[in-house]
Coordinates of all heavy atoms in Angstrom, one line a residue:
S70 N -2.0 -5.3 -9.4 CA -1.5 -4.8 -10.7 C -1.0 -5.9 -11.6 O -0.8 -5.6 -12.8 CB -0.5 -3.7 -10.6 OG 0.6 -4.2 -9.8
E71 N -0.7 -7.1 -11.1 CA -0.2 -8.1 -12.0 C -1.3 -8.8 -12.8 O -1.1 -9.7 -13.6 CB 0.6 -9.1 -11.2 CG 1.9 -8.5 -10.6 CD 2.8 -8.0 -11.6 OE1 3.0 -8.6 -12.7 OE2 3.3 -6.9 -11.4
F72 N -2.5 -8.5 -12.4 CA -3.7 -9.2 -13.0 C -4.3 -8.2 -14.0 O -4.1 -7.0 -14.1 CB -4.8 -9.5 -11.9 CG -4.2 -10.4 -10.8 CD1 -3.9 -9.9 -9.6 CD2 -4.0 -11.8 -11.1 CE1 -3.4 -10.7 -8.6 CE2 -3.5 -12.6 -10.1 CZ -3.2 -12.1 -8.8
K73 N -5.3 -8.8 -14.8 CA -6.0 -7.9 -15.8 C -7.3 -8.6 -16.1 O -7.6 -9.7 -15.8 CB -5.2 -7.8 -17.1 CG -4.8 -9.1 -17.8 CD -4.1 -8.8 -19.1 CE -5.1 -8.6 -20.2 NZ -4.5 -8.6 -21.5
D74 N -8.2 -7.8 -16.7 CA -9.4 -8.2 -17.3 C -10.3 -9.0 -16.3 O -10.6 -8.4 -15.3 CB -9.3 -9.0 -18.5 CG -10.5 -8.9 -19.5 OD1 -11.4 -8.2 -19.1 OD2 -10.5 -9.6 -20.5
E75 N -10.5 -10.3 -16.5 CA -11.5 -11.0 -15.7 C -11.0 -11.1 -14.2 O -11.9 -11.0 -13.3 CB -11.6 -12.5 -16.2 CG -12.3 -12.6 -17.5 CD -11.4 -12.4 -18.7 OE1 -10.2 -12.3 -18.5 OE2 -11.9 -12.4 -19.8
L76 N -9.8 -11.2 -13.9 CA -9.3 -11.2 -12.5 C -9.5 -9.9 -11.9 O -9.8 -9.8 -10.7 CB -7.8 -11.7 -12.5 CG -7.6 -13.2 -12.9 CD1 -6.1 -13.5 -12.8 CD2 -8.3 -14.1 -11.9
I77 N -9.2 -8.8 -12.6 CA -9.5 -7.5 -12.0 C -11.0 -7.4 -11.7 O -11.3 -6.9 -10.6 CB -9.1 -6.4 -13.0 CG1 -7.6 -6.4 -13.2 CG2 -9.6 -5.0 -12.5 CD1 -7.1 -5.4 -14.2
W78 N -11.8 -7.7 -12.6 CA -13.2 -7.6 -12.4 C -13.7 -8.4 -11.2 O -14.6 -8.0 -10.4 CB -13.9 -7.9 -13.7 CG -15.4 -7.7 -13.6 CD1 -16.4 -8.6 -13.9 CD2 -16.1 -6.5 -13.3 NE1 -17.6 -8.1 -13.8 CE2 -17.5 -6.8 -13.4 CE3 -15.7 -5.3 -12.9 CZ2 -18.4 -5.8 -13.1 CZ3 -16.6 -4.3 -12.6 CH2 -18.0 -4.6 -12.7
D79 N -13.2 -9.7 -11.1 CA -13.6 -10.5 -10.0 C -13.3 -9.9 -8.7 O -14.0 -10.0 -7.7 CB -12.9 -11.9 -10.1 CG -13.6 -12.7 -11.2 OD1 -14.7 -12.4 -11.7 OD2 -12.9 -13.7 -11.7
S80 N -12.1 -9.2 -8.7 CA -11.6 -8.7 -7.4 C -12.3 -7.4 -7.0 O -12.6 -7.1 -5.8 CB -10.1 -8.5 -7.5 OG -9.6 -7.9 -6.3
L81 N -12.6 -6.5 -8.0 CA -13.0 -5.2 -7.7 C -14.5 -4.9 -8.2 O -14.9 -3.7 -7.9 CB -12.1 -4.2 -8.4 CG -10.7 -4.2 -7.8 CD1 -9.7 -3.2 -8.6 CD2 -10.6 -3.8 -6.3
K82 N -15.2 -5.8 -8.7 CA -16.5 -5.5 -9.3 C -17.5 -5.0 -8.2 O -18.3 -4.1 -8.5 CB -17.1 -6.7 -10.0 CG -17.3 -7.9 -9.1 CD -17.8 -9.0 -10.0 CE -18.0 -10.3 -9.1 NZ -18.5 -11.4 -10.0
D83 N -17.4 -5.5 -7.0 CA -18.2 -5.0 -5.9 C -18.0 -3.6 -5.6 O -18.9 -2.8 -5.4 CB -18.1 -5.9 -4.7 CG -18.6 -7.3 -4.9 OD1 -19.5 -7.4 -5.8 OD2 -18.3 -8.2 -4.1
K84 N -16.7 -3.2 -5.5 CA -16.4 -1.8 -5.2 C -16.7 -0.9 -6.3 O -17.2 0.2 -6.0 CB -14.8 -1.7 -4.9 CG -14.5 -2.5 -3.6 CD -12.9 -2.4 -3.4 CE -12.5 -3.3 -2.2 NZ -11.1 -3.3 -1.9
I85 N -16.5 -1.2 -7.5 CA -16.8 -0.4 -8.6 C -18.3 -0.2 -8.8 O -18.8 0.9 -9.0 CB -16.1 -0.9 -10.0 CG1 -14.6 -0.9 -9.8 CG2 -16.6 0.0 -11.1 CD1 -13.9 -1.5 -11.0
F86 N -19.0 -1.3 -8.7 CA -20.4 -1.4 -9.0 C -21.1 -0.5 -7.9 O -22.1 0.1 -8.2 CB -20.9 -2.9 -8.9 CG -22.4 -3.0 -9.3 CD1 -22.7 -3.3 -10.6 CD2 -23.4 -2.9 -8.4 CE1 -24.0 -3.5 -11.0 CE2 -24.7 -3.1 -8.8 CZ -25.0 -3.4 -10.1
D87 N -20.6 -0.5 -6.7 CA -21.3 0.2 -5.6 C -20.9 1.6 -5.5 O -21.3 2.3 -4.6 CB -20.9 -0.6 -4.3 CG -21.8 -0.1 -3.1 OD1 -23.0 0.1 -3.3 OD2 -21.3 0.1 -2.0
S88 N -20.0 2.1 -6.4 CA -19.5 3.5 -6.3 C -20.3 4.3 -7.3 O -20.9 3.9 -8.2 CB -18.0 3.5 -6.5 OG -17.7 3.2 -7.9
S89 N -20.2 5.7 -7.0 CA -20.9 6.6 -7.9 C -19.9 7.7 -8.5 O -20.2 8.4 -9.4 CB -22.0 7.4 -7.2 OG -21.6 8.0 -6.1
V90 N -18.7 7.7 -7.9 CA -17.6 8.6 -8.4 C -16.3 7.8 -8.5 O -16.0 7.0 -7.6 CB -17.4 9.7 -7.4 CG1 -16.3 10.6 -7.9 CG2 -18.7 10.6 -7.2
T91 N -15.5 7.9 -9.5 CA -14.3 7.4 -9.6 C -13.2 8.5 -9.6 O -13.3 9.5 -10.4 CB -14.1 6.6 -10.9 OG1 -15.0 5.4 -10.9 CG2 -12.6 6.1 -11.1
L92 N -12.2 8.4 -8.7 CA -11.2 9.4 -8.6 C -9.9 8.8 -9.3 O -9.4 7.7 -8.8 CB -10.9 9.8 -7.2 CG -10.1 11.1 -7.0 CD1 -10.5 11.7 -5.6 CD2 -8.6 10.8 -7.0
V93 N -9.4 9.4 -10.3 CA -8.2 8.9 -11.0 C -7.0 9.7 -10.5 O -7.0 10.9 -10.6 CB -8.4 9.0 -12.5 CG1 -7.1 8.6 -13.2 CG2 -9.6 8.3 -13.0
V94 N -6.0 9.0 -9.9 CA -4.8 9.7 -9.5 C -3.8 9.7 -10.7 O -3.3 8.6 -11.1 CB -4.2 8.9 -8.3 CG1 -2.9 9.6 -7.9 CG2 -5.2 8.9 -7.1
I95 N -3.6 10.9 -11.2 CA -2.6 11.0 -12.3 C -1.2 11.3 -11.7 O -1.1 12.3 -10.9 CB -3.0 12.2 -13.2 CG1 -4.3 11.8 -13.9 CG2 -1.9 12.5 -14.2 CD1 -4.8 12.9 -14.8
S96 N -0.3 10.4 -12.0 CA 1.1 10.6 -11.5 C 2.0 10.4 -12.6 O 1.7 9.8 -13.6 CB 1.4 9.7 -10.3 OG 1.1 8.3 -10.7
K97 N 3.2 11.0 -12.5 CA 4.2 11.0 -13.6 C 4.5 9.7 -14.1 O 4.7 9.5 -15.4 CB 5.4 11.8 -13.2 CG 6.4 12.1 -14.2 CD 7.6 12.9 -13.7 CE 8.6 13.3 -14.7 NZ 9.7 14.1 -14.1
G98 N 4.6 8.7 -13.3 CA 5.0 7.3 -13.7 C 3.9 6.3 -13.8 O 4.1 5.1 -13.7
M99 N 2.7 6.8 -13.9 CA 1.5 5.9 -13.8 C 1.4 5.0 -15.0 O 0.9 3.9 -15.0 CB 0.2 6.6 -13.6 CG -0.2 7.4 -14.8 SD -1.9 8.1 -14.6 CE -2.2 8.8 -16.2
K100 N 1.9 5.5 -16.2 CA 1.8 4.8 -17.4 C 3.2 4.1 -17.8 O 4.2 4.8 -17.8 CB 1.4 5.7 -18.6 CG 1.1 5.0 -19.9 CD 0.6 6.0 -20.9 CE 0.4 5.4 -22.3 NZ -0.2 6.4 -23.3
E101 N 3.1 2.8 -18.1 CA 4.3 2.1 -18.5 C 4.4 2.2 -20.1 O 3.6 1.6 -20.8 CB 4.3 0.6 -18.1 CG 4.3 0.4 -16.6 CD 4.3 -1.0 -16.3 OE1 5.1 -1.8 -16.8 OE2 3.5 -1.4 -15.4
Y102 N 5.4 2.9 -20.5 CA 5.5 3.1 -22.0 C 6.1 1.8 -22.6 O 6.9 1.1 -22.0 CB 6.5 4.3 -22.2 CG 5.8 5.6 -21.9 CD1 6.1 6.1 -20.6 CD2 5.0 6.3 -22.7 CE1 5.4 7.3 -20.2 CE2 4.4 7.5 -22.3 CZ 4.6 8.0 -21.1 OH 4.0 9.2 -20.7
G103 N 5.6 1.5 -23.8 CA 6.0 0.3 -24.4 C 5.1 -0.9 -24.1 O 5.3 -2.0 -24.6
V104 N 4.1 -0.6 -23.2 CA 3.2 -1.6 -22.8 C 1.8 -1.2 -23.2 O 1.4 0.0 -22.9 CB 3.2 -1.8 -21.2 CG1 2.2 -2.9 -20.8 CG2 4.6 -2.3 -20.8
S105 N 1.0 -2.0 -23.8 CA -0.3 -1.5 -24.3 C -1.2 -1.2 -23.1 O -1.0 -1.7 -22.0 CB -0.9 -2.7 -25.1 OG -1.4 -3.7 -24.3
D106 N -2.2 -0.4 -23.3 CA -3.1 0.0 -22.3 C -3.9 -1.3 -21.8 O -4.3 -1.4 -20.6 CB -4.2 1.0 -22.8 CG -3.6 2.4 -22.9 OD1 -2.4 2.6 -22.8 OD2 -4.4 3.3 -23.2
E107 N -4.1 -2.2 -22.7 CA -4.8 -3.4 -22.4 C -4.1 -4.2 -21.4 O -4.7 -5.1 -20.6 CB -5.1 -4.3 -23.6 CG -6.2 -3.6 -24.5 CD -6.4 -4.5 -25.7 OE1 -5.7 -5.5 -26.0 OE2 -7.4 -4.3 -26.4
D108 N -2.8 -4.1 -21.2 CA -2.0 -4.8 -20.3 C -1.6 -4.0 -19.1 O -0.7 -4.4 -18.4 CB -0.7 -5.3 -21.1 CG -1.0 -6.4 -22.1 OD1 -1.9 -7.2 -21.8 OD2 -0.4 -6.4 -23.1
Q109 N -2.3 -2.9 -18.9 CA -2.1 -2.1 -17.7 C -3.3 -2.0 -16.9 O -4.4 -2.3 -17.4 CB -1.5 -0.8 -18.1 CG -0.2 -0.8 -18.8 CD 0.5 0.5 -19.0 OE1 0.8 1.2 -18.1 NE2 0.8 0.8 -20.2
W110 N -3.2 -1.7 -15.7 CA -4.2 -1.8 -14.6 C -5.2 -0.8 -14.6 O -6.5 -1.0 -14.7 CB -3.4 -1.8 -13.3 CG -4.2 -1.9 -12.0 CD1 -4.3 -0.9 -11.1 CD2 -5.1 -2.9 -11.6 NE1 -5.1 -1.2 -10.1 CE2 -5.6 -2.5 -10.4 CE3 -5.5 -4.1 -12.1 CZ2 -6.5 -3.3 -9.6 CZ3 -6.3 -5.0 -11.4 CH2 -6.8 -4.5 -10.1
M111 N -4.8 0.5 -14.7 CA -5.8 1.6 -14.5 C -6.9 1.7 -15.6 O -8.0 2.0 -15.3 CB -5.0 2.9 -14.3 CG -4.2 3.0 -13.1 SD -3.2 4.5 -12.9 CE -4.6 5.8 -12.9
P112 N -6.5 1.5 -16.9 CA -7.5 1.7 -17.9 C -8.8 0.8 -17.7 O -9.9 1.2 -18.0 CB -6.8 1.3 -19.2 CG -5.3 1.6 -18.9 CD -5.2 1.3 -17.5
W113 N -8.5 -0.5 -17.3 CA -9.6 -1.3 -17.0 C -10.5 -0.8 -15.9 O -11.8 -0.9 -16.0 CB -9.1 -2.8 -16.7 CG -8.5 -3.4 -17.9 CD1 -7.2 -3.7 -18.1 CD2 -9.2 -4.0 -19.0 NE1 -7.0 -4.3 -19.3 CE2 -8.2 -4.6 -19.8 CE3 -10.5 -4.1 -19.4 CZ2 -8.6 -5.2 -21.0 CZ3 -10.9 -4.7 -20.6 CH2 -9.9 -5.2 -21.4
E114 N -9.9 -0.3 -14.9 CA -10.8 0.2 -13.8 C -11.6 1.4 -14.2 O -12.8 1.6 -13.9 CB -9.9 0.7 -12.6 CG -9.2 -0.5 -11.9 CD -8.3 -0.1 -10.7 OE1 -7.7 0.9 -10.8 OE2 -8.3 -0.9 -9.8
I115 N -11.0 2.3 -15.0 CA -11.7 3.4 -15.6 C -12.8 3.0 -16.5 O -14.0 3.5 -16.4 CB -10.7 4.4 -16.3 CG1 -9.7 4.9 -15.3 CG2 -11.5 5.5 -17.0 CD1 -8.4 5.5 -16.0
S116 N -12.5 2.0 -17.3 CA -13.5 1.5 -18.3 C -14.7 0.9 -17.5 O -15.9 1.2 -17.8 CB -12.9 0.4 -19.1 OG -13.9 -0.2 -20.0
Y117 N -14.5 0.1 -16.5 CA -15.5 -0.5 -15.7 C -16.3 0.5 -15.0 O -17.6 0.4 -14.9 CB -15.0 -1.5 -14.6 CG -14.3 -2.7 -15.3 CD1 -13.2 -3.3 -14.7 CD2 -14.9 -3.4 -16.4 CE1 -12.6 -4.4 -15.3 CE2 -14.3 -4.5 -16.9 CZ -13.2 -5.0 -16.4 OH -12.6 -6.1 -16.9
S118 N -15.7 1.6 -14.6 CA -16.4 2.7 -13.9 C -17.3 3.4 -14.8 O -18.4 4.0 -14.4 CB -15.4 3.7 -13.4 OG -14.5 3.1 -12.4
L119 N -17.0 3.5 -16.1 CA -17.8 4.3 -17.0 C -18.9 3.5 -17.7 O -19.9 4.0 -18.2 CB -16.9 4.8 -18.2 CG -15.9 5.9 -17.8 CD1 -14.9 6.2 -18.9 CD2 -16.6 7.1 -17.4
K120 N -18.8 2.2 -17.6 CA -19.8 1.3 -18.2 C -21.1 1.2 -17.4 O -20.9 1.2 -16.1 CB -19.2 -0.1 -18.6 CG -18.2 -0.1 -19.7 CD -17.7 -1.5 -19.9 CE -16.7 -1.5 -21.0 NZ -16.1 -2.8 -21.2
E121 N -22.2 0.9 -18.0 CA -23.4 0.6 -17.2 C -23.5 -0.9 -17.2 O -23.6 -1.5 -18.2 CB -24.6 1.2 -17.9 CG -24.6 2.8 -17.9 CD -25.8 3.4 -18.6 OE1 -26.5 2.6 -19.3 OE2 -26.0 4.6 -18.5

Side-chain angles (χ1 to χ4, degrees):
S70 58
E71 295 303 316
F72 302 103
K73 58 174 277 191
D74 205 4
E75 291 85 5
L76 290 178
I77 292 175
W78 184 233
D79 286 343
S80 176
L81 294 176
K82 62 183 178 182
D83 290 339
K84 294 178 181 179
I85 298 174
F86 190 89
D87 193 40
S88 65
S89 54
V90 178
T91 295
L92 196 154
V93 179
V94 177
I95 294 177
S96 55
K97 188 175 180 179
M99 71 174 185
K100 182 176 180 178
E101 294 183 47
Y102 292 94
V104 179
S105 71
D106 285 9
E107 292 182 345
D108 290 324
Q109 299 190 58
W110 175 244
M111 293 176 64
W113 289 106
E114 293 182 323
I115 296 163
S116 174
Y117 293 142
S118 298
L119 291 170
K120 290 178 178 178
E121 295 178 347

